[in-house]
Amino acid sequence: MTDTTTSPGADGGDALVTAFNAVGADYLFCSSGSEWAPVWESLARRHRDGLPCPEYLDLTHETVAVGMATGYGLLRRRPQGVLLHAAPGLLQGSMAVHGALLAGVPMVVSSSESTTYGDGPGQDPGGQWYRNLSIVGGPHSVAQPFTKWSTEAASVHTLPTMVTRAAELSWRAPAGPAYLNIPLEILLEDWDGREAKPLVAPGSTHSSPEEVDPVAQLIREARNPVVVTETAGREAGGFEALVAFAEAWNIPVVEPDSAVCGNFPRTHPLHAGSDIGPWMDEADLILLVNCRAPFYPPSRRPSKATIVVIDEVPQRPHVVYQVLFADRYLEGNVANTLRQLTKRAKDLDESAVAVRRAAQEERHTAEQRAIAAAELKAASQAGGIEPVLVAATLRRLLDGQDAIVVDETITHSRVVKRHVRTVDPDSYFYVQGGLGQGIAVALGVKLAARERPVVLTIGDGAFTYNPVIPSYDASKAYELPLLIVVFNNRVYKSMNLNHRRFYPEGAAADTGEWLGTDLHRLPRLAAFAEPFGLHTETVDTPDALTPALERALKSVAEGTTAVVDVLVTR
């Protein structure tokens, strides 16, 4: 902490802006509230005087603010600032904050309250706090269950250092959102100019050779090993390190349906699909690499495999019930651990490697044939657009464009993963924590990668959960063009499938009264984009699909978001 000369009118707003500047936040993602006037005044003064500060994004919904911070953090992997309004704004954004926790994205989220309710000295905070906005225990008590760390900044003198502490905690494994309640009276209080220390990146943790060597020996002795991963690609360098490891040892890699990002090239010969089932009885060694929930139900234990968990924080504190069946843990930085194991890929039993290589080549060839057959069938189907055709067409049109796919489908998520087939690091992300965040997360991804095309695949049910108008406003205001492709089957399919599964011969099956699922009454979903001057298409025939997506991609390349509502058959 260093003492600096206080500028005229410096207050808690200046302290907060200075702190976010010190921790290296590129942006303040703000869904406005009346408590943030001190921050706005500080930013206006800095803009006037040419002083450094994070870029401020004025967003009109809390989910958009948090979701954009999540999308940005997925690529940049360092804490940003998020400003919400009081406890109600925090509650409105809580699903997205929880999604950031599950996605492992660092950020510092703040909102406010009043502590004097107009009865204290100084400026009047306003009667709204007394009547409507305050909550017993403060908003930090509300935030505790869905953040990594939550507390209150109780003094303007400690506020900058509290922001630094929140940022440092959010960045360290397991990365996730930290919350800081900053009372309005603190923001209005005079500040003496003591600044926060700049944020230092976390040091890396390493598994010792004494821990890595025995695991390398287990791999060397295994006849039928397999890697299962959900989020190896989320870590810096994790994608590349996993590819090098798998190739060095010749081990297949399974990305289960629970995978939430791209971890391994989908076209790689060692990619073993998404089904762990065949390995449950066959594998003699399972390497769980950043895999929080590998088995379902949790009690479903592999019959004979030794299980090695490679994860910086294998026991996730925010997961209520977690079963890994671990026999060994390697708990250092995942990319570094994989690199250490790759260096030890020596003295292999070539005959055993040849056997498993041949088996994997057979599996890979069978999967490629199955994909091709499914796409041929989808292309020849009459009477509507098959979801497989949509995903395959996207893959073909995006080939060579270094695109990023953000996915918020449910019943079509397997189709998207299997047929879009992303191959590069940071090229696929699945939205976490609840439907309704996809557009915002995609906007944040675009903010972090303006030079790359960003595509959001989304179901019609998920689309209706999104704050569409605030999201389109952000896209236009901040020049963040997306391609939004809606897989529209006019039904909440996953809900309907559960009803049919639980009650196959129930009253609904008898009468056809399927409640809670019908979306036929919705208007054209693409039409909501028209008032913003965005490109819109509604497609209901296979022949129209490719031209519509080509026009949409051209619009995006020219700087305008495009929404293509595809009426699919299932």
Side-chain angles (χ1 to χ4, degrees):
M1 182 180 293
T2 58
D3 292 331
T4 62
T5 302
T6 305
S7 60
D11 57 18
D14 293 291
L16 188 59
V17 172
T18 297
F20 275 121
N21 201 55
V23 302
D26 301 315
Y27 291 94
L28 296 178
F29 299 85
C30 183
S31 178
S32 301
S34 55
E35 67 265 45
W36 299 121
V39 169
W40 299 332
E41 180 62 21
S42 175
L43 291 169
R45 185 161 51 245
R46 287 167 180 266
H47 294 158
R48 181 197 65 192
D49 298 340
L51 298 175
C53 58
E55 186 171 343
Y56 177 85
L57 299 185
D58 202 355
L59 306 165
T60 54
H61 196 283
E62 290 84 356
T63 299
V64 176
V66 181
M68 285 185 66
T70 298
Y72 189 83
L74 285 170
L75 269 70
R76 294 302 174 90
R77 297 181 174 92
R78 60 177 295 130
Q80 304 299 311
V82 179
L83 307 180
L84 306 178
H85 176 42
L90 176 63
L91 289 168
Q92 182 75 269
S94 60
M95 179 186 67
V97 178
H98 181 242
L101 180 69
L102 297 181
V105 174
M107 63 180 68
V108 178
V109 181
S110 292
S111 68
S112 190
E113 63 178 344
S114 173
T115 53
T116 65
Y117 309 105
D119 279 342
Q123 299 190 56
D124 180 10
Q128 73 272 23
W129 303 95
Y130 182 51
R131 291 188 294 266
N132 295 319
L133 296 179
S134 294
I135 190 165
V136 175
H140 48 293
S141 65
V142 173
Q144 187 173 5
F146 52 83
T147 57
K148 182 180 176 184
W149 179 79
S150 178
T151 194
E152 176 183 86
S155 167
V156 71
H157 306 297
T158 59
L159 175 57
T161 304
M162 288 290 276
V163 171
T164 300
R165 174 162 167 72
E168 287 182 335
L169 282 166
S170 76
W171 204 357
R172 278 156 175 78
Y179 173 79
L180 201 57
N181 169 27
I182 310 172
L184 177 55
E185 288 82 355
I186 300 298
L187 290 170
L188 290 168
E189 190 175 340
D190 289 342
W191 175 49
D192 62 11
R194 289 181 289 176
E195 296 183 0
K197 183 180 182 295
L199 192 64
V200 177
S204 61
T205 57
H206 296 256
S207 295
S208 69
E210 291 78 13
E211 295 168 314
V212 175
D213 286 340
V215 171
Q217 187 61 28
L218 285 174
I219 301 173
R220 196 172 289 111
E221 294 170 355
R223 313 300 288 184
N224 198 15
V226 65
V227 170
V228 184
T229 182
E230 292 175 331
T231 62
R234 186 181 62 194
E235 313 301 331
F239 187 102
E240 298 89 341
L242 182 56
V243 172
F245 168 81
E247 289 177 345
W249 291 95
N250 236 285
I251 300 179
V253 176
V254 173
E255 285 186 286
D257 291 331
S258 54
V260 302
C261 62
N263 303 290
F264 200 81
R266 285 260 163 185
T267 58
H268 196 288
L270 287 171
H271 196 288
S274 60
D275 185 10
I276 193 177
W279 301 92
M280 296 298 285
D281 292 325
E282 297 176 8
D284 57 356
L285 177 65
I286 296 177
L287 300 157
L288 300 179
V289 181
N290 263 28
C291 197
R292 62 193 165 167
F295 312 116
Y296 189 83
S299 58
R300 184 190 182 200
R301 183 171 192 153
S303 61
K304 61 183 179 182
T306 297
I307 297 175
V308 176
V309 174
I310 301 174
D311 197 321
E312 193 163 7
V313 185
Q315 296 295 337
R316 300 286 200 276
H318 57 266
V319 176
V320 175
Y321 184 62
Q322 185 183 18
V323 181
L324 299 176
F325 296 120
D327 294 299
R328 286 181 180 269
Y329 287 105
L330 290 179
E331 298 188 38
N333 173 271
V334 167
N336 179 68
T337 300
L338 291 173
R339 293 185 194 111
Q340 289 192 61
L341 288 169
T342 299
K343 293 177 181 177
R344 289 163 169 78
K346 302 172 183 176
D347 302 322
L348 306 186
D349 183 336
E350 294 301 333
S351 61
V353 170
V355 169
R356 70 170 176 257
R357 182 189 297 120
Q360 175 55 26
E361 287 174 354
E362 185 177 339
R363 280 189 293 266
H364 183 73
T365 300
E367 173 66 1
Q368 302 315 299
R369 287 174 179 165
I371 289 173
E375 292 181 1
L376 180 63
K377 180 180 178 181
S380 60
Q381 180 172 309
I385 302 174
E386 242 284 328
V388 169
L389 180 62
V390 183
T393 304
L394 274 174
R395 182 189 72 243
R396 178 170 57 82
L397 294 178
L398 295 174
D399 184 42
Q401 294 198 40
D402 194 26
I404 304 172
V405 176
V406 177
D407 188 19
E408 197 177 28
T409 61
I410 297 296
T411 53
H412 298 120
S413 62
R414 293 179 184 176
V415 169
V416 170
K417 289 177 181 176
R418 190 183 193 206
H419 293 278
V420 174
R421 300 170 73 189
T422 54
V423 298
D424 297 315
D426 291 338
S427 60
Y428 173 85
F429 298 101
Y430 190 79
V431 177
Q432 294 292 286
L435 298 177
Q437 310 169 62
I439 306 178
V441 172
L443 288 169
V445 168
K446 183 65 177 179
L447 185 66
R450 287 183 178 269
E451 73 287 354
R452 300 175 66 182
V454 176
V455 180
L456 172 67
T457 53
I458 188 170
D460 51 326
F463 183 90
T464 61
Y465 285 141
N466 274 258
V468 173
I469 291 174
S471 297
Y472 288 167
D473 172 63
S475 172
K476 192 170 181 67
Y478 297 107
E479 300 180 338
L480 300 170
L482 307 174
L483 170 57
I484 301 173
V485 180
V486 184
F487 286 67
N488 189 345
N489 56 12
R490 283 80 73 201
V491 65
Y492 283 123
K493 190 71 172 181
S494 62
M495 303 180 193
N496 184 254
L497 290 173
N498 269 349
H499 191 158
R500 293 174 184 271
R501 180 164 62 92
F502 295 148
Y503 302 97
E505 299 177 0
D510 184 47
T511 64
E513 184 182 12
W514 301 105
L515 299 176
T517 62
D518 185 22
L519 294 176
H520 280 87
R521 66 181 183 270
L522 293 178
R524 287 192 307 117
L525 299 184
F528 290 98
E530 291 172 0
F532 292 90
L534 308 183
H535 180 91
T536 67
E537 303 252 5
T538 300
V539 185
D540 59 3
T541 63
D543 290 345
L545 179 62
T546 295
L549 289 175
E550 287 176 337
R551 288 189 295 269
L553 283 167
K554 183 175 184 292
S555 172
V556 172
E558 293 172 349
T560 300
T561 285
V563 184
V564 182
D565 184 16
V566 185
L567 306 185
V568 293
T569 55
R570 58 180 175 91

